[in-house]
Amino acid sequence: MMAYIVKRLIHMIPTLIGISLISFFLMQLAPGGPVDQMADLNPHVTPEMKTRIRHDMGLDRPIVIQYAVWLGRLARFDFGKSYSDQRPVLKKIAERLPATVLLNVLALSLMLLIAIPIGFFSAIRANTWLDKAMTVFVFIGFSLPAYALALGLMILFGLKLGWLPISGLATITFVPTSLWIRCADVALHLILPVFVLALTSLAGLSRYMRSSMLEVIHQDYIRAAQAKGLTFWRVFGVHAARNAMIPLLTLFGLMVPDLIGGGVIIETIFAYPGMGRLGYEAIMTRDYNLIMAITVISALLTVLGNFMADVLYAYADPRIRYR
């Protein structure tokens, strides 16, 4: 098992370099750049000044040289400074990361709490009215565009009823008198974005759980367990559900990257101060250093998620270890 883990870790290195290489070159080929963005905001910037700024930032070098310099800084875990405000990129990411992790961990937890029972009962009661009702429910959530659902809930619960805040992570003018009141204020701000993220993402997981469960409950050992007189929950809730959830480990691994970048639309709509919104702002301003830092971190989480899924899979079933 240890040799397998080391082998998978070594395979991650060329994958990360390849992703960073492709991302860097694609970003350089995109129209516009950070100097153009600065010039657009300041009409006094002359073409000569733009040339000098581009030279000072090293953007007039060949792309290969720029990538080599960037890769050398990355080896020292130095992502440079943001072009928009000259602040260290890592500091800006560190400020936004906790809010995004909080949002996505809550959304992922809510999604699992809803999707797994839906998939379980849809399989146990396959082709009944309960199965059809749950299928309609999950596909309504899947079919609704996230921005449309978010705007509808904001209008209903924020503007019409006035029950929930519709933007930010905390009330700016609110002066909390205790930690609990502060937490309650943050929780109210999280309800709508967490619900939208969870509802629009649970269809795939619940359908996957249903198909996996259907495959398991028709196995001979399940029929043998029923013939022995074991209880319903012992047969389906313990033996069948445990084996049906093994394929879901791959999906859990692939969900890890969503912890920092999966809510770009939701964070932008709700003016949520997270990584998704930061990435959107970096792309709009062509902030190369910030874009590459977010790309590398997202890629790292992706390969780590796949690594975790493979290790858990190999631990659950040693027959499927890669050779």
Side-chain angles (χ1 to χ4, degrees):
M1 187 67 179
M2 185 56 66
Y4 172 75
I5 292 175
V6 172
K7 186 177 179 181
R8 293 288 294 121
L9 286 173
I10 293 175
H11 285 171
M12 289 169 53
I13 297 175
T15 303
L16 285 173
I17 294 176
I19 293 173
S20 69
L21 180 66
I22 294 172
S23 302
F24 192 89
F25 278 82
L26 287 177
M27 183 181 63
Q28 296 287 338
L29 293 175
V35 179
D36 297 322
Q37 294 293 325
M38 295 177 190
D40 292 341
L41 297 175
N42 188 350
H44 300 293
V45 176
T46 63
E48 292 76 17
M49 292 174 67
K50 288 175 61 176
T51 302
R52 189 168 65 251
I53 294 172
R54 189 175 285 108
H55 175 74
D56 293 340
M57 296 169 72
L59 298 177
D60 56 348
R61 299 178 182 178
I63 295 179
V64 176
I65 301 298
Q66 292 185 48
Y67 178 73
V69 172
W70 177 84
L71 201 60
R73 292 207 317 263
L74 180 64
R76 303 190 300 274
F77 207 64
D78 177 14
F79 288 101
K81 293 184 178 180
S82 170
Y83 291 144
S84 60
D85 55 12
Q86 296 302 309
R87 296 179 62 207
V89 166
L90 279 180
K91 187 173 183 180
K92 295 184 71 169
I93 292 177
E95 291 174 352
R96 300 290 189 97
L97 189 59
T100 291
V101 171
L102 174 64
L103 172 65
N104 286 280
V105 165
L106 291 175
L108 186 60
S109 302
L110 180 61
M111 183 179 65
L112 293 176
L113 287 175
I114 298 174
I116 291 178
I118 286 178
F120 177 83
F121 287 109
S122 291
I124 297 297
R125 298 288 182 260
N127 301 320
T128 64
W129 68 267
L130 181 64
D131 179 29
K132 295 175 182 177
M134 290 181 175
T135 300
V136 170
F137 172 71
V138 297
F139 276 98
I140 286 176
F142 179 74
S143 303
L144 279 175
Y147 68 88
L149 179 62
L151 292 175
L153 294 177
M154 289 168 71
I155 294 172
L156 177 61
F157 293 102
L159 301 180
K160 297 291 184 182
L161 300 176
W163 291 353
L164 297 171
I166 60 174
S167 65
L169 182 57
T171 305
I172 299 176
T173 57
F174 182 66
V175 180
T177 56
S178 69
L179 178 61
W180 291 109
I181 295 177
R182 177 70 174 178
C183 291
D185 182 55
V186 172
L188 286 176
H189 284 78
L190 285 168
I191 290 176
L192 289 182
V194 167
F195 178 77
V196 174
L197 268 179
L199 183 63
T200 53
S201 306
L202 65 84
L205 186 62
S206 63
R207 292 291 91 183
Y208 207 92
M209 179 66 186
R210 181 183 182 274
S211 61
S212 181
M213 192 71 186
L214 278 175
E215 184 178 347
V216 170
I217 62 179
H218 290 102
Q219 298 292 322
D220 290 338
Y221 71 92
I222 294 296
R223 285 193 284 269
Q226 289 178 292
K228 288 181 179 179
L230 296 181
T231 63
F232 174 87
W233 287 110
R234 186 70 178 172
V235 174
F236 295 103
V238 177
H239 296 293
R242 184 176 58 185
N243 291 327
M245 290 182 66
I246 291 177
L248 298 184
L249 295 174
T250 302
L251 290 182
F252 293 157
L254 296 176
M255 290 174 183
V256 173
D258 292 341
L259 291 179
I260 70 164
V264 175
I265 297 175
I266 300 302
E267 290 188 4
T268 304
I269 292 176
F270 286 99
Y272 190 83
M275 286 285 294
R277 189 178 169 202
L278 181 65
Y280 172 78
E281 294 169 351
I283 292 173
M284 296 304 293
T285 58
R286 303 293 192 274
D287 196 334
Y288 290 165
N289 285 338
L290 193 51
I291 294 173
M292 284 307 299
I294 294 175
T295 301
V296 168
I297 293 175
S298 298
L300 178 62
L301 285 177
T302 302
V303 296
L304 281 177
N306 282 311
F307 168 75
M308 289 169 54
D310 288 343
V311 171
L312 290 173
Y313 228 119
Y315 178 76
D317 188 352
R319 295 173 300 174
I320 60 174
R321 290 180 191 174
Y322 296 148
R323 296 182 181 279

